[in-house]
Amino acid sequence: MRRTLRSTVLTVALLGSATACGIRGTAVPVDAGGAPSRASCVVRPEHAIPSGAATVTVQLECTSQLVPVTRAVAETSEDSVAVARVLLEELREAPANEEAEAGMSTAVPQRLTVAGQRPGDPAGTLRLSREPGELPQVGLAQLVCTYAGTAAADGKRSVILGGPSGEPPKSYTCTDELRVHPDSADITGTPVS
C-alpha cells in the first residue's frame, strides 16, 4: 500500500515537471509590454441622438491610450469658452455604462473649471481653475486632445492653457505620441510669444 502511494506521488511529480511550460528563467530583464487587456475600447451607440441635441467628441483613456468617444449634448454656440466648458463638463463625467464596460475612464478632476482669457493673455487663452502642470498627466492629455481642432482651440491642433495664478499661459499640442502614450509623453507646454 505504501509502495503504491509512493509510486503514485512520484509519477505525479514527474508528470508535472514533464508538462512544464518550457520557458526558462533568464537573468536578462525582458520588457514585453503591458499585460493583454480584455477592454474593447469600442462603444456602439445604443440610442439615437435626441432632437435638438448636438454631438461632441471627447478623449477618454482606454488601455493606456486616448480614444475618441462621441456624446450627445445640448446645442452649443461657437464661442470658444462655451465650447471649452461643454467639453470639460463631458470629460469630468464618469463614463457611461457602455463606456465603462468597454474599458474607458477619465482622469480629469471633477472640480476643474475653465474660463476665458485675462487682460494681457494671448488671444484664445483658456484659464483653468488649477495649473495645467498640477493636473494628472493623463487628464491634461485628455483636455489638450479634446480641445484640439475644436472651437475651444480656434480649430488648431494646439490649445493655450493657463491656470489661476499670474503665470503666463503655455501652448499645448495634441500629438500622435500624446494620444498613444498620454501617461508618459512630453506635455510641458511651450511659452506663447
Side-chain angles (χ1 to χ4, degrees), residues 54-60 66-73 76 83 86-88 90-91 99 142-152 179:
T55 59
V56 294
T57 301
V58 295
Q59 301 290 326
L60 297 181
L66 298 185
V67 177
V69 175
T70 302
R71 290 184 173 170
V73 296
T76 61
V83 171
V86 167
L87 292 171
L88 176 57
E90 291 299 314
L91 283 172
E99 293 168 351
Q142 285 181 260
L143 266 177
V144 170
C145 288
T146 295
Y147 286 164
T150 69
R179 288 180 188 276

PDB file of all heavy atoms in Angstrom, residues 54-60 66-73 76 83 86-88 90-91 99 142-152 179:
ATOM      1  N   ALA A  54     -26.753  68.158 -29.993  1.00  0.00           N
ATOM      2  CA  ALA A  54     -25.577  68.167 -30.863  1.00  0.00           C
ATOM      3  C   ALA A  54     -24.646  67.060 -30.377  1.00  0.00           C
ATOM      4  O   ALA A  54     -24.871  66.461 -29.323  1.00  0.00           O
ATOM      5  CB  ALA A  54     -24.882  69.518 -30.784  1.00  0.00           C
ATOM      6  N   THR A  55     -23.617  66.772 -31.136  1.00  0.00           N
ATOM      7  CA  THR A  55     -22.639  65.782 -30.699  1.00  0.00           C
ATOM      8  C   THR A  55     -21.277  66.437 -30.530  1.00  0.00           C
ATOM      9  O   THR A  55     -20.944  67.378 -31.240  1.00  0.00           O
ATOM     10  CB  THR A  55     -22.519  64.615 -31.697  1.00  0.00           C
ATOM     11  OG1 THR A  55     -22.124  65.129 -32.967  1.00  0.00           O
ATOM     12  CG2 THR A  55     -23.811  63.845 -31.822  1.00  0.00           C
ATOM     13  N   VAL A  56     -20.532  65.952 -29.569  1.00  0.00           N
ATOM     14  CA  VAL A  56     -19.158  66.376 -29.356  1.00  0.00           C
ATOM     15  C   VAL A  56     -18.308  65.127 -29.218  1.00  0.00           C
ATOM     16  O   VAL A  56     -18.806  64.056 -28.879  1.00  0.00           O
ATOM     17  CB  VAL A  56     -18.999  67.268 -28.106  1.00  0.00           C
ATOM     18  CG1 VAL A  56     -19.721  68.589 -28.266  1.00  0.00           C
ATOM     19  CG2 VAL A  56     -19.445  66.544 -26.844  1.00  0.00           C
ATOM     20  N   THR A  57     -17.024  65.268 -29.478  1.00  0.00           N
ATOM     21  CA  THR A  57     -16.095  64.158 -29.312  1.00  0.00           C
ATOM     22  C   THR A  57     -15.128  64.500 -28.189  1.00  0.00           C
ATOM     23  O   THR A  57     -14.521  65.570 -28.203  1.00  0.00           O
ATOM     24  CB  THR A  57     -15.325  63.887 -30.620  1.00  0.00           C
ATOM     25  OG1 THR A  57     -16.258  63.583 -31.646  1.00  0.00           O
ATOM     26  CG2 THR A  57     -14.364  62.719 -30.453  1.00  0.00           C
ATOM     27  N   VAL A  58     -15.017  63.591 -27.232  1.00  0.00           N
ATOM     28  CA  VAL A  58     -14.075  63.761 -26.132  1.00  0.00           C
ATOM     29  C   VAL A  58     -13.103  62.587 -26.148  1.00  0.00           C
ATOM     30  O   VAL A  58     -13.397  61.528 -26.700  1.00  0.00           O
ATOM     31  CB  VAL A  58     -14.792  63.853 -24.763  1.00  0.00           C
ATOM     32  CG1 VAL A  58     -15.657  65.089 -24.684  1.00  0.00           C
ATOM     33  CG2 VAL A  58     -15.617  62.607 -24.480  1.00  0.00           C
ATOM     34  N   GLN A  59     -11.964  62.801 -25.526  1.00  0.00           N
ATOM     35  CA  GLN A  59     -10.937  61.767 -25.466  1.00  0.00           C
ATOM     36  C   GLN A  59     -10.947  61.116 -24.087  1.00  0.00           C
ATOM     37  O   GLN A  59     -10.723  61.778 -23.081  1.00  0.00           O
ATOM     38  CB  GLN A  59      -9.557  62.380 -25.729  1.00  0.00           C
ATOM     39  CG  GLN A  59      -9.434  63.069 -27.068  1.00  0.00           C
ATOM     40  CD  GLN A  59      -9.430  62.115 -28.239  1.00  0.00           C
ATOM     41  OE1 GLN A  59      -8.921  61.003 -28.151  1.00  0.00           O
ATOM     42  NE2 GLN A  59      -9.992  62.548 -29.351  1.00  0.00           N
ATOM     43  N   LEU A  60     -11.219  59.813 -24.050  1.00  0.00           N
ATOM     44  CA  LEU A  60     -11.177  59.057 -22.806  1.00  0.00           C
ATOM     45  C   LEU A  60      -9.974  58.121 -22.849  1.00  0.00           C
ATOM     46  O   LEU A  60      -9.460  57.807 -23.917  1.00  0.00           O
ATOM     47  CB  LEU A  60     -12.468  58.259 -22.614  1.00  0.00           C
ATOM     48  CG  LEU A  60     -13.756  59.072 -22.483  1.00  0.00           C
ATOM     49  CD1 LEU A  60     -14.947  58.151 -22.272  1.00  0.00           C
ATOM     50  CD2 LEU A  60     -13.669  60.083 -21.349  1.00  0.00           C
ATOM     51  N   LEU A  66      -5.437  57.307 -25.569  1.00  0.00           N
ATOM     52  CA  LEU A  66      -6.650  58.110 -25.695  1.00  0.00           C
ATOM     53  C   LEU A  66      -7.491  57.598 -26.845  1.00  0.00           C
ATOM     54  O   LEU A  66      -6.978  57.284 -27.920  1.00  0.00           O
ATOM     55  CB  LEU A  66      -6.293  59.581 -25.915  1.00  0.00           C
ATOM     56  CG  LEU A  66      -5.521  60.259 -24.792  1.00  0.00           C
ATOM     57  CD1 LEU A  66      -5.336  61.743 -25.101  1.00  0.00           C
ATOM     58  CD2 LEU A  66      -6.193  60.084 -23.439  1.00  0.00           C
ATOM     59  N   VAL A  67      -8.797  57.526 -26.587  1.00  0.00           N
ATOM     60  CA  VAL A  67      -9.752  57.010 -27.562  1.00  0.00           C
ATOM     61  C   VAL A  67     -10.868  58.038 -27.725  1.00  0.00           C
ATOM     62  O   VAL A  67     -11.437  58.495 -26.729  1.00  0.00           O
ATOM     63  CB  VAL A  67     -10.338  55.665 -27.078  1.00  0.00           C
ATOM     64  CG1 VAL A  67     -11.381  55.147 -28.041  1.00  0.00           C
ATOM     65  CG2 VAL A  67      -9.237  54.644 -26.875  1.00  0.00           C
ATOM     66  N   PRO A  68     -11.215  58.425 -28.966  1.00  0.00           N
ATOM     67  CA  PRO A  68     -12.309  59.382 -29.151  1.00  0.00           C
ATOM     68  C   PRO A  68     -13.666  58.737 -28.906  1.00  0.00           C
ATOM     69  O   PRO A  68     -13.922  57.622 -29.356  1.00  0.00           O
ATOM     70  CB  PRO A  68     -12.157  59.810 -30.618  1.00  0.00           C
ATOM     71  CG  PRO A  68     -11.441  58.677 -31.279  1.00  0.00           C
ATOM     72  CD  PRO A  68     -10.591  58.026 -30.222  1.00  0.00           C
ATOM     73  N   VAL A  69     -14.514  59.453 -28.183  1.00  0.00           N
ATOM     74  CA  VAL A  69     -15.866  58.980 -27.882  1.00  0.00           C
ATOM     75  C   VAL A  69     -16.839  60.102 -28.215  1.00  0.00           C
ATOM     76  O   VAL A  69     -16.631  61.247 -27.820  1.00  0.00           O
ATOM     77  CB  VAL A  69     -15.995  58.596 -26.388  1.00  0.00           C
ATOM     78  CG1 VAL A  69     -17.416  58.222 -26.043  1.00  0.00           C
ATOM     79  CG2 VAL A  69     -15.044  57.474 -26.046  1.00  0.00           C
ATOM     80  N   THR A  70     -17.889  59.781 -28.933  1.00  0.00           N
ATOM     81  CA  THR A  70     -18.899  60.775 -29.308  1.00  0.00           C
ATOM     82  C   THR A  70     -20.025  60.762 -28.281  1.00  0.00           C
ATOM     83  O   THR A  70     -20.524  59.695 -27.915  1.00  0.00           O
ATOM     84  CB  THR A  70     -19.460  60.474 -30.711  1.00  0.00           C
ATOM     85  OG1 THR A  70     -18.370  60.463 -31.630  1.00  0.00           O
ATOM     86  CG2 THR A  70     -20.477  61.513 -31.134  1.00  0.00           C
ATOM     87  N   ARG A  71     -20.415  61.955 -27.838  1.00  0.00           N
ATOM     88  CA  ARG A  71     -21.501  62.092 -26.875  1.00  0.00           C
ATOM     89  C   ARG A  71     -22.495  63.141 -27.352  1.00  0.00           C
ATOM     90  O   ARG A  71     -22.124  64.078 -28.055  1.00  0.00           O
ATOM     91  CB  ARG A  71     -20.964  62.510 -25.508  1.00  0.00           C
ATOM     92  CG  ARG A  71     -20.172  61.422 -24.803  1.00  0.00           C
ATOM     93  CD  ARG A  71     -19.769  61.861 -23.450  1.00  0.00           C
ATOM     94  NE  ARG A  71     -19.142  60.793 -22.682  1.00  0.00           N
ATOM     95  CZ  ARG A  71     -18.525  60.988 -21.535  1.00  0.00           C
ATOM     96  NH1 ARG A  71     -18.455  62.210 -21.018  1.00  0.00           N
ATOM     97  NH2 ARG A  71     -17.981  59.983 -20.881  1.00  0.00           N
ATOM     98  N   ALA A  72     -23.744  62.965 -26.953  1.00  0.00           N
ATOM     99  CA  ALA A  72     -24.791  63.939 -27.277  1.00  0.00           C
ATOM    100  C   ALA A  72     -24.847  64.994 -26.191  1.00  0.00           C
ATOM    101  O   ALA A  72     -24.776  64.678 -25.001  1.00  0.00           O
ATOM    102  CB  ALA A  72     -26.143  63.234 -27.386  1.00  0.00           C
ATOM    103  N   VAL A  73     -24.940  66.269 -26.600  1.00  0.00           N
ATOM    104  CA  VAL A  73     -25.041  67.387 -25.661  1.00  0.00           C
ATOM    105  C   VAL A  73     -26.108  68.346 -26.170  1.00  0.00           C
ATOM    106  O   VAL A  73     -26.543  68.261 -27.316  1.00  0.00           O
ATOM    107  CB  VAL A  73     -23.696  68.144 -25.521  1.00  0.00           C
ATOM    108  CG1 VAL A  73     -22.636  67.246 -24.912  1.00  0.00           C
ATOM    109  CG2 VAL A  73     -23.245  68.712 -26.839  1.00  0.00           C
ATOM    110  N   THR A  76     -24.644  73.833 -28.625  1.00  0.00           N
ATOM    111  CA  THR A  76     -23.637  74.755 -28.109  1.00  0.00           C
ATOM    112  C   THR A  76     -23.397  75.864 -29.121  1.00  0.00           C
ATOM    113  O   THR A  76     -23.697  75.723 -30.298  1.00  0.00           O
ATOM    114  CB  THR A  76     -22.294  74.039 -27.865  1.00  0.00           C
ATOM    115  OG1 THR A  76     -21.826  73.514 -29.120  1.00  0.00           O
ATOM    116  CG2 THR A  76     -22.437  72.919 -26.868  1.00  0.00           C
ATOM    117  N   VAL A  83     -17.698  76.398 -25.693  1.00  0.00           N
ATOM    118  CA  VAL A  83     -17.355  75.062 -26.185  1.00  0.00           C
ATOM    119  C   VAL A  83     -16.409  74.374 -25.202  1.00  0.00           C
ATOM    120  O   VAL A  83     -16.577  73.194 -24.884  1.00  0.00           O
ATOM    121  CB  VAL A  83     -16.725  75.145 -27.596  1.00  0.00           C
ATOM    122  CG1 VAL A  83     -16.162  73.794 -28.024  1.00  0.00           C
ATOM    123  CG2 VAL A  83     -17.754  75.634 -28.603  1.00  0.00           C
ATOM    124  N   VAL A  86     -18.383  73.051 -22.226  1.00  0.00           N
ATOM    125  CA  VAL A  86     -19.182  71.855 -22.544  1.00  0.00           C
ATOM    126  C   VAL A  86     -18.271  70.634 -22.622  1.00  0.00           C
ATOM    127  O   VAL A  86     -18.580  69.572 -22.070  1.00  0.00           O
ATOM    128  CB  VAL A  86     -19.950  72.052 -23.874  1.00  0.00           C
ATOM    129  CG1 VAL A  86     -20.527  70.742 -24.377  1.00  0.00           C
ATOM    130  CG2 VAL A  86     -21.058  73.079 -23.699  1.00  0.00           C
ATOM    131  N   LEU A  87     -17.138  70.765 -23.298  1.00  0.00           N
ATOM    132  CA  LEU A  87     -16.215  69.639 -23.431  1.00  0.00           C
ATOM    133  C   LEU A  87     -15.641  69.230 -22.079  1.00  0.00           C
ATOM    134  O   LEU A  87     -15.539  68.034 -21.777  1.00  0.00           O
ATOM    135  CB  LEU A  87     -15.088  69.996 -24.406  1.00  0.00           C
ATOM    136  CG  LEU A  87     -15.518  70.170 -25.870  1.00  0.00           C
ATOM    137  CD1 LEU A  87     -14.370  70.728 -26.702  1.00  0.00           C
ATOM    138  CD2 LEU A  87     -16.025  68.863 -26.451  1.00  0.00           C
ATOM    139  N   LEU A  88     -15.292  70.211 -21.249  1.00  0.00           N
ATOM    140  CA  LEU A  88     -14.770  69.902 -19.917  1.00  0.00           C
ATOM    141  C   LEU A  88     -15.819  69.192 -19.077  1.00  0.00           C
ATOM    142  O   LEU A  88     -15.517  68.226 -18.365  1.00  0.00           O
ATOM    143  CB  LEU A  88     -14.290  71.178 -19.221  1.00  0.00           C
ATOM    144  CG  LEU A  88     -13.795  71.005 -17.778  1.00  0.00           C
ATOM    145  CD1 LEU A  88     -12.655  69.999 -17.693  1.00  0.00           C
ATOM    146  CD2 LEU A  88     -13.389  72.351 -17.195  1.00  0.00           C
ATOM    147  N   GLU A  90     -18.146  67.251 -20.101  1.00  0.00           N
ATOM    148  CA  GLU A  90     -18.223  65.860 -20.570  1.00  0.00           C
ATOM    149  C   GLU A  90     -17.021  65.044 -20.090  1.00  0.00           C
ATOM    150  O   GLU A  90     -17.162  63.868 -19.760  1.00  0.00           O
ATOM    151  CB  GLU A  90     -18.319  65.814 -22.100  1.00  0.00           C
ATOM    152  CG  GLU A  90     -19.633  66.328 -22.643  1.00  0.00           C
ATOM    153  CD  GLU A  90     -20.839  65.530 -22.157  1.00  0.00           C
ATOM    154  OE1 GLU A  90     -20.789  64.280 -22.187  1.00  0.00           O
ATOM    155  OE2 GLU A  90     -21.829  66.156 -21.729  1.00  0.00           O
ATOM    156  N   LEU A  91     -15.841  65.656 -20.057  1.00  0.00           N
ATOM    157  CA  LEU A  91     -14.644  64.942 -19.594  1.00  0.00           C
ATOM    158  C   LEU A  91     -14.689  64.647 -18.100  1.00  0.00           C
ATOM    159  O   LEU A  91     -14.143  63.641 -17.644  1.00  0.00           O
ATOM    160  CB  LEU A  91     -13.386  65.765 -19.909  1.00  0.00           C
ATOM    161  CG  LEU A  91     -12.907  65.743 -21.347  1.00  0.00           C
ATOM    162  CD1 LEU A  91     -11.777  66.741 -21.542  1.00  0.00           C
ATOM    163  CD2 LEU A  91     -12.465  64.349 -21.756  1.00  0.00           C
ATOM    164  N   GLU A  99     -19.493  52.752 -21.911  1.00  0.00           N
ATOM    165  CA  GLU A  99     -18.105  53.212 -21.994  1.00  0.00           C
ATOM    166  C   GLU A  99     -17.248  52.495 -20.957  1.00  0.00           C
ATOM    167  O   GLU A  99     -16.143  52.043 -21.254  1.00  0.00           O
ATOM    168  CB  GLU A  99     -18.033  54.726 -21.784  1.00  0.00           C
ATOM    169  CG  GLU A  99     -18.686  55.525 -22.893  1.00  0.00           C
ATOM    170  CD  GLU A  99     -18.864  57.000 -22.553  1.00  0.00           C
ATOM    171  OE1 GLU A  99     -18.642  57.398 -21.385  1.00  0.00           O
ATOM    172  OE2 GLU A  99     -19.233  57.757 -23.466  1.00  0.00           O
ATOM    173  N   GLN A 142      -5.972  64.389 -21.967  1.00  0.00           N
ATOM    174  CA  GLN A 142      -7.373  64.331 -22.388  1.00  0.00           C
ATOM    175  C   GLN A 142      -7.890  65.716 -22.755  1.00  0.00           C
ATOM    176  O   GLN A 142      -8.553  65.889 -23.784  1.00  0.00           O
ATOM    177  CB  GLN A 142      -8.249  63.753 -21.271  1.00  0.00           C
ATOM    178  CG  GLN A 142      -8.142  62.267 -21.066  1.00  0.00           C
ATOM    179  CD  GLN A 142      -9.070  61.829 -19.947  1.00  0.00           C
ATOM    180  OE1 GLN A 142      -8.639  61.633 -18.819  1.00  0.00           O
ATOM    181  NE2 GLN A 142     -10.349  61.703 -20.247  1.00  0.00           N
ATOM    182  N   LEU A 143      -7.607  66.699 -21.892  1.00  0.00           N
ATOM    183  CA  LEU A 143      -8.051  68.072 -22.152  1.00  0.00           C
ATOM    184  C   LEU A 143      -7.473  68.614 -23.453  1.00  0.00           C
ATOM    185  O   LEU A 143      -8.200  69.132 -24.305  1.00  0.00           O
ATOM    186  CB  LEU A 143      -7.620  68.987 -21.008  1.00  0.00           C
ATOM    187  CG  LEU A 143      -8.584  69.253 -19.878  1.00  0.00           C
ATOM    188  CD1 LEU A 143      -7.924  70.113 -18.829  1.00  0.00           C
ATOM    189  CD2 LEU A 143      -9.857  69.884 -20.368  1.00  0.00           C
ATOM    190  N   VAL A 144      -6.156  68.503 -23.606  1.00  0.00           N
ATOM    191  CA  VAL A 144      -5.480  69.047 -24.778  1.00  0.00           C
ATOM    192  C   VAL A 144      -6.018  68.421 -26.058  1.00  0.00           C
ATOM    193  O   VAL A 144      -6.355  69.115 -27.019  1.00  0.00           O
ATOM    194  CB  VAL A 144      -3.946  68.855 -24.664  1.00  0.00           C
ATOM    195  CG1 VAL A 144      -3.249  69.190 -25.970  1.00  0.00           C
ATOM    196  CG2 VAL A 144      -3.393  69.705 -23.526  1.00  0.00           C
ATOM    197  N   CYS A 145      -6.129  67.097 -26.079  1.00  0.00           N
ATOM    198  CA  CYS A 145      -6.570  66.418 -27.308  1.00  0.00           C
ATOM    199  C   CYS A 145      -8.078  66.542 -27.540  1.00  0.00           C
ATOM    200  O   CYS A 145      -8.535  66.446 -28.673  1.00  0.00           O
ATOM    201  CB  CYS A 145      -6.125  64.960 -27.294  1.00  0.00           C
ATOM    202  SG  CYS A 145      -4.333  64.789 -27.528  1.00  0.00           S
ATOM    203  N   THR A 146      -8.851  66.771 -26.482  1.00  0.00           N
ATOM    204  CA  THR A 146     -10.283  67.027 -26.670  1.00  0.00           C
ATOM    205  C   THR A 146     -10.495  68.423 -27.243  1.00  0.00           C
ATOM    206  O   THR A 146     -11.309  68.631 -28.139  1.00  0.00           O
ATOM    207  CB  THR A 146     -11.050  66.866 -25.340  1.00  0.00           C
ATOM    208  OG1 THR A 146     -10.968  65.491 -24.923  1.00  0.00           O
ATOM    209  CG2 THR A 146     -12.516  67.256 -25.488  1.00  0.00           C
ATOM    210  N   TYR A 147      -9.752  69.405 -26.728  1.00  0.00           N
ATOM    211  CA  TYR A 147      -9.883  70.789 -27.211  1.00  0.00           C
ATOM    212  C   TYR A 147      -9.302  70.974 -28.613  1.00  0.00           C
ATOM    213  O   TYR A 147      -9.791  71.788 -29.391  1.00  0.00           O
ATOM    214  CB  TYR A 147      -9.194  71.758 -26.251  1.00  0.00           C
ATOM    215  CG  TYR A 147      -9.931  72.014 -24.958  1.00  0.00           C
ATOM    216  CD1 TYR A 147      -9.283  72.600 -23.882  1.00  0.00           C
ATOM    217  CD2 TYR A 147     -11.275  71.698 -24.797  1.00  0.00           C
ATOM    218  CE1 TYR A 147      -9.945  72.876 -22.688  1.00  0.00           C
ATOM    219  CE2 TYR A 147     -11.940  71.948 -23.611  1.00  0.00           C
ATOM    220  CZ  TYR A 147     -11.275  72.534 -22.555  1.00  0.00           C
ATOM    221  OH  TYR A 147     -11.944  72.799 -21.390  1.00  0.00           O
ATOM    222  N   ALA A 148      -8.246  70.241 -28.944  1.00  0.00           N
ATOM    223  CA  ALA A 148      -7.564  70.415 -30.235  1.00  0.00           C
ATOM    224  C   ALA A 148      -8.528  70.220 -31.408  1.00  0.00           C
ATOM    225  O   ALA A 148      -9.316  69.280 -31.433  1.00  0.00           O
ATOM    226  CB  ALA A 148      -6.409  69.431 -30.350  1.00  0.00           C
ATOM    227  N   GLY A 149      -8.469  71.139 -32.348  1.00  0.00           N
ATOM    228  CA  GLY A 149      -9.296  71.040 -33.550  1.00  0.00           C
ATOM    229  C   GLY A 149     -10.714  71.534 -33.393  1.00  0.00           C
ATOM    230  O   GLY A 149     -11.480  71.546 -34.347  1.00  0.00           O
ATOM    231  N   THR A 150     -11.101  71.957 -32.181  1.00  0.00           N
ATOM    232  CA  THR A 150     -12.457  72.450 -31.941  1.00  0.00           C
ATOM    233  C   THR A 150     -12.447  73.975 -31.812  1.00  0.00           C
ATOM    234  O   THR A 150     -11.387  74.597 -31.806  1.00  0.00           O
ATOM    235  CB  THR A 150     -13.046  71.858 -30.642  1.00  0.00           C
ATOM    236  OG1 THR A 150     -12.343  72.418 -29.524  1.00  0.00           O
ATOM    237  CG2 THR A 150     -12.949  70.339 -30.624  1.00  0.00           C
ATOM    238  N   ALA A 151     -13.630  74.547 -31.652  1.00  0.00           N
ATOM    239  CA  ALA A 151     -13.729  75.996 -31.441  1.00  0.00           C
ATOM    240  C   ALA A 151     -13.022  76.419 -30.157  1.00  0.00           C
ATOM    241  O   ALA A 151     -12.580  77.556 -30.032  1.00  0.00           O
ATOM    242  CB  ALA A 151     -15.196  76.422 -31.397  1.00  0.00           C
ATOM    243  N   ALA A 152     -12.861  75.494 -29.197  1.00  0.00           N
ATOM    244  CA  ALA A 152     -12.152  75.817 -27.954  1.00  0.00           C
ATOM    245  C   ALA A 152     -10.697  76.178 -28.226  1.00  0.00           C
ATOM    246  O   ALA A 152     -10.086  76.935 -27.481  1.00  0.00           O
ATOM    247  CB  ALA A 152     -12.220  74.641 -26.978  1.00  0.00           C
ATOM    248  N   ARG A 179      -1.461  60.982 -27.867  1.00  0.00           N
ATOM    249  CA  ARG A 179      -2.647  60.118 -27.935  1.00  0.00           C
ATOM    250  C   ARG A 179      -2.321  58.671 -27.576  1.00  0.00           C
ATOM    251  O   ARG A 179      -3.090  58.003 -26.911  1.00  0.00           O
ATOM    252  CB  ARG A 179      -3.251  60.148 -29.344  1.00  0.00           C
ATOM    253  CG  ARG A 179      -3.941  61.441 -29.694  1.00  0.00           C
ATOM    254  CD  ARG A 179      -4.502  61.355 -31.124  1.00  0.00           C
ATOM    255  NE  ARG A 179      -5.001  62.616 -31.569  1.00  0.00           N
ATOM    256  CZ  ARG A 179      -6.219  63.080 -31.307  1.00  0.00           C
ATOM    257  NH1 ARG A 179      -7.041  62.361 -30.588  1.00  0.00           N
ATOM    258  NH2 ARG A 179      -6.597  64.251 -31.754  1.00  0.00           N
TER     259      ARG A 179
END
